[in-house]
Amino acid sequence: MVERANRPSALSATPGLAPQPQVTFSDDNSSVRAVLPTGESVTVLLHGATITSWTDASGSEKLWLSSSAHLDGSKPVRGGIPLVFPVFGTAPDHAQTASLAQHGFARSSRWEFLGKSTSESASGDGAADLSAKLDFGLSAAGLSEEAKGKWSFAFNLIYSVTLNRGSLTTSLVVTNDDEKAWDCQVLLHTYLRVKDINEVEVHGLDGAQYVDKVDGAKTKSQSGAVKITGETDRVYTPVANGPVTVAEGGKKTFTVTRDNLSNVVVWNPWTDKAAGMGDFSPKDGFKNMLCIEPGSVSGWQSLEPGDAYEGAQTITYHS
Ligand SMILES: O=P(O)(O)OC[C@H]1O[C@@H](O)[C@H](O)[C@@H](O)[C@@H]1O
């Protein structure tokens, strides 16, 4: 792997040599985009450091984004990959996070774009494959007065989004910059795009315990593949750190691997919940999405002053 930090966009031309294909980066005041020479792309909104688009080389979208999602910072984004920190859902019994909004403030805050870099590795045919990495940061200084009032600890988040041919890696490093210890939960709220939810099976969770949030938070045990036949909201704790795969019509479409994230939330709102969400469009869009959300949410990451925690996912698509 060769790191080439902050190289200029477009083609690099060395006199006498054919121009080498380069990653194209663009950023405006609201989002950052990287496009590989082979056509794969990722777009990250500074609002929430939310990934709003991930495409393959042909431009086919891999993530689901509501057509009425708020992209102007007025609400968390419905779709793509929003970030959940420092609390998953709400935690009325956890004093430090009890007054925070659902899923915390990371998805509602404007992040700073820290920089971009390019790496190359040999591909199967001997040519170099390029990948692009985008880094974003959020600390207490970037919070709204309201969020600061509800969570007053000093912290630092670095979120890295790495686009490779065929896969996307998202990694969050959380550092406690305070003089006091604090707890947090982290989750990568990934909305995968599917063709028909009725054809979907999720593999890799067989034997896992889960909390069924649509059945009184009962603890249950998964048997076989997960099929989505109605509102589904489950917090799985897989037995091992193996991959979770999504298949459609018997064909594998996504593989999700986790690094240091012990839970997987599987969520689909189905008809009634989708109808009740003002930013969920089209209303039958639940047929085209499935949230597979790697996270650390069934307990708390307790960080002493100066401690850091890192969790990551890699999503690979199979075409
Ligand atoms: O509407 P929100 O805040 O984006 O949350 C969407 C869903 O996010 C999931 O992670 C939760 O398990 C669900 O309970 C929740 O409904």
Side-chain angles (χ1 to χ4, degrees), residues 38-104:
T38 36
E40 296 85 353
S41 73
V42 68
T43 305
V44 187
L45 199 64
L46 293 182
H47 174 59
T50 311
I51 299 175
T52 54
S53 168
W54 169 39
T55 72
D56 68 11
S58 72
S60 166
E61 184 59 56
K62 300 296 164 197
L63 301 175
W64 184 85
L65 178 67
S66 165
S67 58
S68 56
H70 296 261
L71 303 177
D72 60 357
S74 58
K75 266 179 153 257
V77 176
R78 176 70 59 206
I81 310 183
L83 272 171
V84 170
F85 173 89
V87 62
F88 170 67
T90 55
D93 300 332
H94 183 260
Q96 289 177 358
T97 56
S99 57
L100 288 174
Q102 157 119 333
H103 291 343

Short mmCIF file of all heavy atoms in Angstrom, two decimals, residues 38-104:
data_model
loop_
_atom_site.label_atom_id
_atom_site.label_comp_id
_atom_site.label_asym_id
_atom_site.label_seq_id
_atom_site.Cartn_x
_atom_site.Cartn_y
_atom_site.Cartn_z
N THR A 38 -12.15 4.11 -11.88
CA THR A 38 -13.02 3.08 -12.43
C THR A 38 -14.51 3.42 -12.27
O THR A 38 -15.37 2.66 -12.73
CB THR A 38 -12.71 1.75 -11.73
OG1 THR A 38 -12.39 2.01 -10.36
CG2 THR A 38 -11.54 1.04 -12.39
N GLY A 39 -14.84 4.53 -11.61
CA GLY A 39 -16.23 4.99 -11.56
C GLY A 39 -16.92 4.87 -10.22
O GLY A 39 -17.94 5.51 -9.99
N GLU A 40 -16.39 4.06 -9.29
CA GLU A 40 -17.04 3.94 -7.97
C GLU A 40 -16.98 5.29 -7.27
O GLU A 40 -15.98 6.02 -7.41
CB GLU A 40 -16.32 2.89 -7.10
CG GLU A 40 -16.38 1.47 -7.63
CD GLU A 40 -15.29 1.14 -8.65
OE1 GLU A 40 -14.55 2.06 -9.07
OE2 GLU A 40 -15.18 -0.05 -9.00
N SER A 41 -18.02 5.59 -6.47
CA SER A 41 -18.03 6.91 -5.82
C SER A 41 -18.64 6.84 -4.43
O SER A 41 -19.40 5.91 -4.10
CB SER A 41 -18.83 7.91 -6.67
OG SER A 41 -20.21 7.62 -6.57
N VAL A 42 -18.27 7.83 -3.62
CA VAL A 42 -18.91 7.99 -2.31
C VAL A 42 -19.11 9.49 -2.06
O VAL A 42 -18.27 10.30 -2.48
CB VAL A 42 -18.08 7.33 -1.18
CG1 VAL A 42 -16.75 8.05 -0.94
CG2 VAL A 42 -18.87 7.23 0.11
N THR A 43 -20.23 9.83 -1.44
CA THR A 43 -20.52 11.23 -1.10
C THR A 43 -20.84 11.30 0.39
O THR A 43 -21.64 10.51 0.91
CB THR A 43 -21.74 11.75 -1.90
OG1 THR A 43 -21.48 11.55 -3.28
CG2 THR A 43 -21.98 13.24 -1.65
N VAL A 44 -20.18 12.23 1.08
CA VAL A 44 -20.38 12.38 2.52
C VAL A 44 -20.83 13.81 2.80
O VAL A 44 -20.16 14.78 2.42
CB VAL A 44 -19.08 12.10 3.30
CG1 VAL A 44 -19.35 12.10 4.81
CG2 VAL A 44 -18.47 10.77 2.88
N LEU A 45 -21.97 13.92 3.46
CA LEU A 45 -22.51 15.22 3.85
C LEU A 45 -21.81 15.66 5.14
O LEU A 45 -21.67 14.85 6.07
CB LEU A 45 -24.01 15.02 4.11
CG LEU A 45 -24.94 16.21 4.10
CD1 LEU A 45 -25.00 16.86 2.72
CD2 LEU A 45 -26.35 15.74 4.52
N LEU A 46 -21.38 16.91 5.23
CA LEU A 46 -20.74 17.35 6.47
C LEU A 46 -21.74 17.30 7.63
O LEU A 46 -21.36 17.07 8.77
CB LEU A 46 -20.17 18.76 6.31
CG LEU A 46 -19.01 18.85 5.32
CD1 LEU A 46 -18.48 20.27 5.24
CD2 LEU A 46 -17.89 17.89 5.69
N HIS A 47 -23.00 17.50 7.32
CA HIS A 47 -24.03 17.37 8.35
C HIS A 47 -24.09 15.92 8.81
O HIS A 47 -24.50 15.03 8.07
CB HIS A 47 -25.38 17.80 7.78
CG HIS A 47 -26.52 17.56 8.71
ND1 HIS A 47 -26.59 18.12 9.96
CD2 HIS A 47 -27.63 16.81 8.58
CE1 HIS A 47 -27.69 17.73 10.55
NE2 HIS A 47 -28.34 16.93 9.74
N GLY A 48 -23.59 15.67 10.01
CA GLY A 48 -23.61 14.32 10.56
C GLY A 48 -22.51 13.42 10.03
O GLY A 48 -22.45 12.25 10.39
N ALA A 49 -21.65 13.93 9.15
CA ALA A 49 -20.69 13.08 8.41
C ALA A 49 -21.46 11.88 7.84
O ALA A 49 -21.00 10.74 7.84
CB ALA A 49 -19.53 12.62 9.28
N THR A 50 -22.65 12.17 7.35
CA THR A 50 -23.55 11.12 6.85
C THR A 50 -23.19 10.76 5.41
O THR A 50 -23.16 11.65 4.55
CB THR A 50 -25.01 11.61 6.88
OG1 THR A 50 -25.28 12.18 8.16
CG2 THR A 50 -25.98 10.48 6.59
N ILE A 51 -22.94 9.50 5.17
CA ILE A 51 -22.72 9.06 3.79
C ILE A 51 -24.09 9.03 3.12
O ILE A 51 -25.01 8.36 3.60
CB ILE A 51 -22.05 7.67 3.75
CG1 ILE A 51 -20.69 7.74 4.45
CG2 ILE A 51 -21.91 7.17 2.30
CD1 ILE A 51 -19.97 6.41 4.58
N THR A 52 -24.23 9.79 2.04
CA THR A 52 -25.55 9.86 1.39
C THR A 52 -25.59 9.06 0.09
O THR A 52 -26.68 8.84 -0.46
CB THR A 52 -25.94 11.31 1.09
OG1 THR A 52 -24.88 11.93 0.35
CG2 THR A 52 -26.21 12.08 2.37
N SER A 53 -24.42 8.66 -0.41
CA SER A 53 -24.40 7.89 -1.65
C SER A 53 -23.14 7.05 -1.72
O SER A 53 -22.06 7.50 -1.32
CB SER A 53 -24.45 8.85 -2.85
OG SER A 53 -24.16 8.16 -4.05
N TRP A 54 -23.29 5.83 -2.22
CA TRP A 54 -22.16 4.95 -2.51
C TRP A 54 -22.55 4.18 -3.77
O TRP A 54 -23.56 3.49 -3.77
CB TRP A 54 -21.90 4.01 -1.33
CG TRP A 54 -20.94 2.90 -1.60
CD1 TRP A 54 -19.78 2.97 -2.34
CD2 TRP A 54 -21.02 1.55 -1.13
NE1 TRP A 54 -19.14 1.75 -2.36
CE2 TRP A 54 -19.88 0.86 -1.62
CE3 TRP A 54 -21.94 0.85 -0.34
CZ2 TRP A 54 -19.65 -0.48 -1.35
CZ3 TRP A 54 -21.70 -0.48 -0.06
CH2 TRP A 54 -20.57 -1.14 -0.56
N THR A 55 -21.79 4.38 -4.83
CA THR A 55 -22.15 3.70 -6.08
C THR A 55 -21.04 2.76 -6.53
O THR A 55 -19.88 2.93 -6.16
CB THR A 55 -22.40 4.70 -7.23
OG1 THR A 55 -21.14 5.26 -7.64
CG2 THR A 55 -23.36 5.81 -6.83
N ASP A 56 -21.43 1.83 -7.38
CA ASP A 56 -20.44 0.97 -8.02
C ASP A 56 -19.95 1.65 -9.29
O ASP A 56 -20.32 2.79 -9.59
CB ASP A 56 -21.01 -0.45 -8.26
CG ASP A 56 -22.12 -0.47 -9.31
OD1 ASP A 56 -22.33 0.55 -10.00
OD2 ASP A 56 -22.79 -1.52 -9.42
N ALA A 57 -19.13 0.94 -10.06
CA ALA A 57 -18.51 1.55 -11.25
C ALA A 57 -19.54 1.98 -12.28
O ALA A 57 -19.32 2.94 -13.02
CB ALA A 57 -17.51 0.57 -11.86
N SER A 58 -20.69 1.30 -12.31
CA SER A 58 -21.70 1.66 -13.32
C SER A 58 -22.63 2.76 -12.82
O SER A 58 -23.55 3.15 -13.52
CB SER A 58 -22.53 0.41 -13.67
OG SER A 58 -23.37 0.10 -12.58
N GLY A 59 -22.40 3.25 -11.61
CA GLY A 59 -23.26 4.31 -11.06
C GLY A 59 -24.45 3.77 -10.29
O GLY A 59 -25.29 4.54 -9.81
N SER A 60 -24.53 2.46 -10.15
CA SER A 60 -25.66 1.86 -9.43
C SER A 60 -25.50 2.10 -7.92
O SER A 60 -24.46 1.81 -7.33
CB SER A 60 -25.70 0.37 -9.78
OG SER A 60 -26.53 -0.31 -8.91
N GLU A 61 -26.56 2.62 -7.30
CA GLU A 61 -26.51 3.04 -5.89
C GLU A 61 -26.62 1.82 -4.97
O GLU A 61 -27.44 0.94 -5.18
CB GLU A 61 -27.67 4.02 -5.63
CG GLU A 61 -27.72 4.61 -4.27
CD GLU A 61 -26.48 5.40 -3.87
OE1 GLU A 61 -26.10 6.34 -4.58
OE2 GLU A 61 -25.87 5.05 -2.84
N LYS A 62 -25.79 1.79 -3.94
CA LYS A 62 -25.79 0.67 -3.00
C LYS A 62 -26.52 1.00 -1.70
O LYS A 62 -26.81 0.09 -0.91
CB LYS A 62 -24.34 0.28 -2.66
CG LYS A 62 -23.54 -0.16 -3.88
CD LYS A 62 -24.15 -1.42 -4.46
CE LYS A 62 -23.67 -1.68 -5.86
NZ LYS A 62 -24.54 -2.65 -6.56
N LEU A 63 -26.77 2.29 -1.44
CA LEU A 63 -27.45 2.69 -0.21
C LEU A 63 -28.83 3.23 -0.53
O LEU A 63 -29.06 3.75 -1.62
CB LEU A 63 -26.63 3.78 0.52
CG LEU A 63 -25.21 3.38 0.91
CD1 LEU A 63 -24.47 4.58 1.51
CD2 LEU A 63 -25.21 2.22 1.90
N TRP A 64 -29.72 3.13 0.43
CA TRP A 64 -31.07 3.70 0.27
C TRP A 64 -31.10 5.07 0.93
O TRP A 64 -30.62 5.23 2.06
CB TRP A 64 -32.12 2.78 0.90
CG TRP A 64 -33.53 3.26 0.68
CD1 TRP A 64 -34.32 3.02 -0.40
CD2 TRP A 64 -34.31 4.09 1.57
NE1 TRP A 64 -35.54 3.65 -0.25
CE2 TRP A 64 -35.56 4.30 0.95
CE3 TRP A 64 -34.08 4.67 2.81
CZ2 TRP A 64 -36.58 5.06 1.53
CZ3 TRP A 64 -35.08 5.44 3.40
CH2 TRP A 64 -36.32 5.62 2.76
N LEU A 65 -31.65 6.04 0.22
CA LEU A 65 -31.81 7.39 0.78
C LEU A 65 -33.23 7.84 0.48
O LEU A 65 -33.67 7.80 -0.68
CB LEU A 65 -30.80 8.34 0.11
CG LEU A 65 -30.86 9.80 0.54
CD1 LEU A 65 -30.42 9.98 2.00
CD2 LEU A 65 -29.98 10.67 -0.37
N SER A 66 -33.93 8.25 1.52
CA SER A 66 -35.30 8.72 1.33
C SER A 66 -35.32 9.93 0.40
O SER A 66 -34.47 10.82 0.51
CB SER A 66 -35.87 9.11 2.70
OG SER A 66 -37.05 9.88 2.54
N SER A 67 -36.33 9.99 -0.47
CA SER A 67 -36.41 11.14 -1.37
C SER A 67 -36.87 12.40 -0.63
O SER A 67 -36.78 13.49 -1.17
CB SER A 67 -37.33 10.84 -2.57
OG SER A 67 -38.61 10.51 -2.09
N SER A 68 -37.35 12.25 0.62
CA SER A 68 -37.68 13.45 1.41
C SER A 68 -36.73 13.62 2.59
O SER A 68 -37.07 14.27 3.59
CB SER A 68 -39.14 13.38 1.88
OG SER A 68 -39.38 12.20 2.62
N ALA A 69 -35.54 13.02 2.50
CA ALA A 69 -34.55 13.20 3.57
C ALA A 69 -34.16 14.67 3.66
O ALA A 69 -34.10 15.37 2.64
CB ALA A 69 -33.31 12.37 3.26
N HIS A 70 -33.92 15.14 4.86
CA HIS A 70 -33.47 16.53 5.05
C HIS A 70 -31.95 16.57 4.93
O HIS A 70 -31.25 15.99 5.75
CB HIS A 70 -33.89 17.04 6.44
CG HIS A 70 -35.38 17.12 6.60
ND1 HIS A 70 -36.08 18.29 6.45
CD2 HIS A 70 -36.30 16.17 6.86
CE1 HIS A 70 -37.37 18.07 6.62
NE2 HIS A 70 -37.53 16.78 6.87
N LEU A 71 -31.47 17.24 3.91
CA LEU A 71 -30.02 17.29 3.68
C LEU A 71 -29.45 18.66 4.04
O LEU A 71 -28.29 18.95 3.77
CB LEU A 71 -29.71 16.97 2.20
CG LEU A 71 -30.25 15.61 1.71
CD1 LEU A 71 -29.94 15.41 0.23
CD2 LEU A 71 -29.68 14.45 2.53
N ASP A 72 -30.28 19.51 4.64
CA ASP A 72 -29.86 20.88 4.93
C ASP A 72 -29.43 21.09 6.37
O ASP A 72 -29.22 22.21 6.82
CB ASP A 72 -31.01 21.85 4.60
CG ASP A 72 -32.25 21.54 5.45
OD1 ASP A 72 -32.24 20.56 6.23
OD2 ASP A 72 -33.25 22.30 5.33
N GLY A 73 -29.31 20.00 7.13
CA GLY A 73 -28.87 20.13 8.52
C GLY A 73 -30.00 20.35 9.50
O GLY A 73 -29.78 20.45 10.70
N SER A 74 -31.25 20.40 9.01
CA SER A 74 -32.36 20.68 9.93
C SER A 74 -32.81 19.44 10.70
O SER A 74 -33.45 19.53 11.73
CB SER A 74 -33.54 21.27 9.15
OG SER A 74 -33.95 20.38 8.14
N LYS A 75 -32.44 18.25 10.19
CA LYS A 75 -32.82 16.99 10.83
C LYS A 75 -31.75 15.95 10.50
O LYS A 75 -31.05 16.11 9.50
CB LYS A 75 -34.13 16.46 10.22
CG LYS A 75 -35.38 16.83 10.95
CD LYS A 75 -36.57 16.26 10.21
CE LYS A 75 -37.72 16.01 11.15
NZ LYS A 75 -37.91 14.64 11.55
N PRO A 76 -31.67 14.86 11.27
CA PRO A 76 -30.80 13.77 10.84
C PRO A 76 -31.26 13.24 9.48
O PRO A 76 -32.45 13.32 9.16
CB PRO A 76 -31.00 12.70 11.92
CG PRO A 76 -31.59 13.40 13.08
CD PRO A 76 -32.36 14.56 12.53
N VAL A 77 -30.34 12.70 8.71
CA VAL A 77 -30.67 12.23 7.36
C VAL A 77 -31.35 10.86 7.42
O VAL A 77 -30.87 9.95 8.11
CB VAL A 77 -29.38 12.13 6.50
CG1 VAL A 77 -29.70 11.56 5.13
CG2 VAL A 77 -28.74 13.52 6.38
N ARG A 78 -32.46 10.74 6.72
CA ARG A 78 -33.17 9.44 6.65
C ARG A 78 -32.60 8.66 5.48
O ARG A 78 -33.00 8.83 4.32
CB ARG A 78 -34.68 9.70 6.45
CG ARG A 78 -35.52 8.44 6.26
CD ARG A 78 -35.64 7.61 7.49
NE ARG A 78 -36.25 8.36 8.58
CZ ARG A 78 -36.03 8.08 9.88
NH1 ARG A 78 -35.24 7.07 10.23
NH2 ARG A 78 -36.60 8.82 10.82
N GLY A 79 -31.62 7.84 5.77
CA GLY A 79 -31.02 7.01 4.73
C GLY A 79 -29.51 7.18 4.70
O GLY A 79 -28.93 7.91 5.51
N GLY A 80 -28.87 6.47 3.77
CA GLY A 80 -27.41 6.53 3.70
C GLY A 80 -26.78 5.81 4.89
O GLY A 80 -27.23 4.73 5.30
N ILE A 81 -25.76 6.44 5.47
CA ILE A 81 -25.17 5.89 6.71
C ILE A 81 -25.02 7.03 7.73
O ILE A 81 -23.99 7.71 7.77
CB ILE A 81 -23.79 5.22 6.48
CG1 ILE A 81 -23.85 4.23 5.31
CG2 ILE A 81 -23.34 4.51 7.77
CD1 ILE A 81 -22.54 3.47 5.06
N PRO A 82 -26.05 7.27 8.54
CA PRO A 82 -25.88 8.21 9.66
C PRO A 82 -25.07 7.54 10.78
O PRO A 82 -25.02 6.32 10.88
CB PRO A 82 -27.32 8.48 10.13
CG PRO A 82 -28.22 7.86 9.10
CD PRO A 82 -27.42 6.78 8.43
N LEU A 83 -24.45 8.37 11.61
CA LEU A 83 -23.64 7.88 12.72
C LEU A 83 -24.38 8.07 14.04
O LEU A 83 -24.91 9.16 14.29
CB LEU A 83 -22.37 8.74 12.81
CG LEU A 83 -21.19 8.32 11.99
CD1 LEU A 83 -20.13 9.40 12.04
CD2 LEU A 83 -20.64 7.03 12.57
N VAL A 84 -24.37 7.03 14.85
CA VAL A 84 -25.03 7.11 16.15
C VAL A 84 -23.96 7.21 17.24
O VAL A 84 -23.11 6.33 17.35
CB VAL A 84 -25.93 5.86 16.35
CG1 VAL A 84 -26.43 5.78 17.77
CG2 VAL A 84 -27.09 5.88 15.35
N PHE A 85 -23.99 8.29 18.01
CA PHE A 85 -23.05 8.52 19.13
C PHE A 85 -23.60 9.68 19.94
O PHE A 85 -24.05 10.66 19.34
CB PHE A 85 -21.65 8.87 18.60
CG PHE A 85 -20.69 9.29 19.70
CD1 PHE A 85 -19.92 8.35 20.36
CD2 PHE A 85 -20.59 10.63 20.08
CE1 PHE A 85 -19.06 8.74 21.38
CE2 PHE A 85 -19.72 11.02 21.11
CZ PHE A 85 -18.96 10.07 21.74
N PRO A 86 -23.55 9.70 21.24
CA PRO A 86 -22.99 8.72 22.17
C PRO A 86 -24.04 7.79 22.76
O PRO A 86 -23.72 7.06 23.70
CB PRO A 86 -22.38 9.60 23.26
CG PRO A 86 -23.31 10.78 23.33
CD PRO A 86 -23.84 10.98 21.93
N VAL A 87 -25.28 7.80 22.21
CA VAL A 87 -26.30 6.90 22.77
C VAL A 87 -27.12 6.31 21.62
O VAL A 87 -27.42 7.00 20.65
CB VAL A 87 -27.21 7.65 23.78
CG1 VAL A 87 -27.97 8.80 23.12
CG2 VAL A 87 -28.18 6.70 24.48
N PHE A 88 -27.43 5.03 21.74
CA PHE A 88 -28.29 4.34 20.77
C PHE A 88 -29.72 4.42 21.28
O PHE A 88 -30.00 4.02 22.42
CB PHE A 88 -27.84 2.87 20.65
CG PHE A 88 -28.79 2.01 19.88
CD1 PHE A 88 -28.99 2.20 18.52
CD2 PHE A 88 -29.48 0.99 20.52
CE1 PHE A 88 -29.87 1.40 17.81
CE2 PHE A 88 -30.36 0.18 19.81
CZ PHE A 88 -30.56 0.39 18.46
N GLY A 89 -30.62 4.92 20.45
CA GLY A 89 -32.01 5.14 20.92
C GLY A 89 -31.98 6.21 22.00
O GLY A 89 -31.26 7.21 21.88
N THR A 90 -32.70 5.97 23.07
CA THR A 90 -32.61 6.85 24.24
C THR A 90 -32.29 5.97 25.45
O THR A 90 -32.56 4.76 25.43
CB THR A 90 -33.92 7.61 24.50
OG1 THR A 90 -34.97 6.64 24.61
CG2 THR A 90 -34.24 8.59 23.40
N ALA A 91 -31.70 6.57 26.47
CA ALA A 91 -31.31 5.80 27.66
C ALA A 91 -31.71 6.57 28.91
O ALA A 91 -30.87 7.17 29.58
CB ALA A 91 -29.80 5.55 27.63
N PRO A 92 -33.03 6.57 29.21
CA PRO A 92 -33.51 7.35 30.35
C PRO A 92 -32.85 6.97 31.68
O PRO A 92 -32.77 7.80 32.59
CB PRO A 92 -35.01 7.05 30.40
CG PRO A 92 -35.32 6.14 29.26
CD PRO A 92 -34.07 5.86 28.50
N ASP A 93 -32.34 5.72 31.78
CA ASP A 93 -31.74 5.29 33.05
C ASP A 93 -30.23 5.51 33.10
O ASP A 93 -29.59 5.11 34.08
CB ASP A 93 -32.02 3.80 33.29
CG ASP A 93 -33.50 3.53 33.36
OD1 ASP A 93 -34.24 4.45 33.76
OD2 ASP A 93 -33.93 2.41 32.99
N HIS A 94 -29.67 6.08 32.07
CA HIS A 94 -28.22 6.29 32.05
C HIS A 94 -27.98 7.80 32.18
O HIS A 94 -28.15 8.57 31.22
CB HIS A 94 -27.63 5.75 30.73
CG HIS A 94 -26.16 5.86 30.64
ND1 HIS A 94 -25.52 6.85 29.94
CD2 HIS A 94 -25.17 5.11 31.19
CE1 HIS A 94 -24.22 6.70 30.04
NE2 HIS A 94 -23.97 5.66 30.80
N ALA A 95 -27.59 8.22 33.39
CA ALA A 95 -27.59 9.65 33.72
C ALA A 95 -26.84 10.51 32.70
O ALA A 95 -27.31 11.58 32.30
CB ALA A 95 -26.99 9.85 35.11
N GLN A 96 -25.68 10.03 32.26
CA GLN A 96 -24.84 10.88 31.38
C GLN A 96 -25.51 11.20 30.05
O GLN A 96 -25.22 12.22 29.43
CB GLN A 96 -23.51 10.18 31.09
CG GLN A 96 -22.58 10.12 32.28
CD GLN A 96 -21.31 9.34 31.94
OE1 GLN A 96 -21.13 8.82 30.85
NE2 GLN A 96 -20.41 9.27 32.91
N THR A 97 -26.35 10.28 29.56
CA THR A 97 -26.93 10.49 28.23
C THR A 97 -28.45 10.63 28.26
O THR A 97 -29.08 10.76 27.21
CB THR A 97 -26.57 9.30 27.30
OG1 THR A 97 -27.02 8.10 27.91
CG2 THR A 97 -25.08 9.22 27.03
N ALA A 98 -29.02 10.61 29.48
CA ALA A 98 -30.49 10.53 29.61
C ALA A 98 -31.23 11.65 28.88
O ALA A 98 -32.34 11.43 28.39
CB ALA A 98 -30.87 10.53 31.09
N SER A 99 -30.64 12.83 28.82
CA SER A 99 -31.42 13.93 28.22
C SER A 99 -31.12 14.13 26.73
O SER A 99 -31.68 15.03 26.10
CB SER A 99 -31.15 15.23 28.99
OG SER A 99 -29.77 15.49 28.98
N LEU A 100 -30.28 13.28 26.16
CA LEU A 100 -29.94 13.45 24.74
C LEU A 100 -31.09 12.99 23.83
O LEU A 100 -31.86 12.09 24.19
CB LEU A 100 -28.68 12.65 24.39
CG LEU A 100 -27.37 13.22 24.95
CD1 LEU A 100 -26.23 12.26 24.66
CD2 LEU A 100 -27.09 14.58 24.35
N ALA A 101 -31.11 13.56 22.63
CA ALA A 101 -32.10 13.15 21.63
C ALA A 101 -31.79 11.72 21.18
O ALA A 101 -30.66 11.24 21.32
CB ALA A 101 -32.02 14.09 20.44
N GLN A 102 -32.81 11.06 20.64
CA GLN A 102 -32.65 9.70 20.10
C GLN A 102 -31.40 9.61 19.22
O GLN A 102 -31.19 10.43 18.34
CB GLN A 102 -33.93 9.37 19.31
CG GLN A 102 -33.78 8.30 18.27
CD GLN A 102 -34.69 7.09 18.51
OE1 GLN A 102 -35.06 6.79 19.64
NE2 GLN A 102 -35.03 6.41 17.45
N HIS A 103 -30.58 8.59 19.45
CA HIS A 103 -29.36 8.30 18.68
C HIS A 103 -28.27 9.37 18.83
O HIS A 103 -27.29 9.38 18.08
CB HIS A 103 -29.66 8.09 17.20
CG HIS A 103 -30.42 6.81 16.90
ND1 HIS A 103 -30.54 5.77 17.77
CD2 HIS A 103 -31.12 6.44 15.77
CE1 HIS A 103 -31.26 4.80 17.23
NE2 HIS A 103 -31.63 5.18 16.02
N GLY A 104 -28.43 10.28 19.82
CA GLY A 104 -27.35 11.21 20.14
C GLY A 104 -27.20 12.35 19.16
O GLY A 104 -28.07 12.62 18.33
#
